Amino acid sequence: MPGAYPAGGPTPSPVRRVLRRILVFGLIALSLATIVRGYGDPHRVFAFQPFREASTWQADIYRETPGGDLIPVGEPWPGGYSWDEMVKGRGLGVPGVEHHAVGSVDSILDLLQRALDYVATATPRDQITERLIAVVRYRRNDAEPVTVTLTSRPRVPGP
């Protein structure tokens, strides 16, 4: 029959073959870049990790006054603020209790740093706190305990 395609179907044009190859290799490169980027991110989104960390953490969080006094965030707070009402999720609202590090210790430390900075900027009625400080103790996969100190960005006390 004149005009009929061979048994394998229509032959794609050379331009379509090149575009198809570019698309396939582009998708593979994008997938690999996403996986590699995941290992550099503290939350490891899209990073393959067959066995999660068996790590724990606990933190003491304080408000620092101009005189250098450290006041635990569980004590009454000027302006009626409450740490556990402002910060929720992954145990961050109750930091004084030992928690399993969901995801990884790096993920928890990143979230805790963000929580400190958020609370420092979201408490305008607090006229005495200069910054927030978290003393974090963690054990990564039952290794020796490690203590790190995180501080919020400095804040200017309210009016």
Side-chain angles (χ1 to χ4, degrees):
M1 264 187 183
Y5 291 112
T11 304
S13 70
V15 173
R16 284 188 173 208
R17 273 188 252 146
V18 169
L19 289 176
R20 188 179 305 147
R21 286 181 183 155
I22 290 172
L23 178 66
V24 168
F25 288 120
L27 288 173
I28 291 171
L30 180 63
S31 298
L32 290 174
T34 302
I35 291 169
V36 169
R37 182 201 168 277
Y39 284 103
D41 180 29
H43 303 285
R44 301 236 166 131
V45 178
F46 297 118
F48 176 70
Q49 189 171 352
F51 303 103
R52 303 303 256 167
E53 284 186 13
S55 304
T56 58
W57 70 276
Q58 178 179 359
D60 295 319
I61 302 177
Y62 304 97
R63 296 181 299 109
E64 184 178 28
T65 64
D69 293 329
L70 297 178
I71 304 167
V73 293
E75 291 186 12
W77 198 326
Y81 298 109
S82 171
W83 174 268
D84 60 342
E85 289 179 10
M86 296 182 76
V87 180
K88 298 181 190 270
R90 296 200 183 190
L92 297 177
V94 190
V97 177
E98 187 174 70
H99 297 277
H100 172 71
V102 177
S104 69
V105 169
D106 295 333
S107 175
I108 294 298
L109 292 174
D110 181 61
L111 291 172
L112 190 53
Q113 180 65 58
R114 290 174 188 231
L116 292 170
D117 290 338
Y118 165 73
V119 171
T121 59
T123 52
R125 294 186 313 267
D126 179 359
Q127 298 180 10
I128 64 167
T129 302
E130 286 192 338
R131 66 183 177 158
L132 292 141
I133 298 173
V135 179
V136 185
R137 289 167 305 286
Y138 66 86
R139 295 182 141 220
R140 196 181 300 264
N141 298 324
D142 278 339
E144 291 298 314
V146 176
T147 301
V148 295
T149 302
L150 304 175
T151 58
S152 70
R153 57 181 67 137
R155 62 184 300 274
V156 178

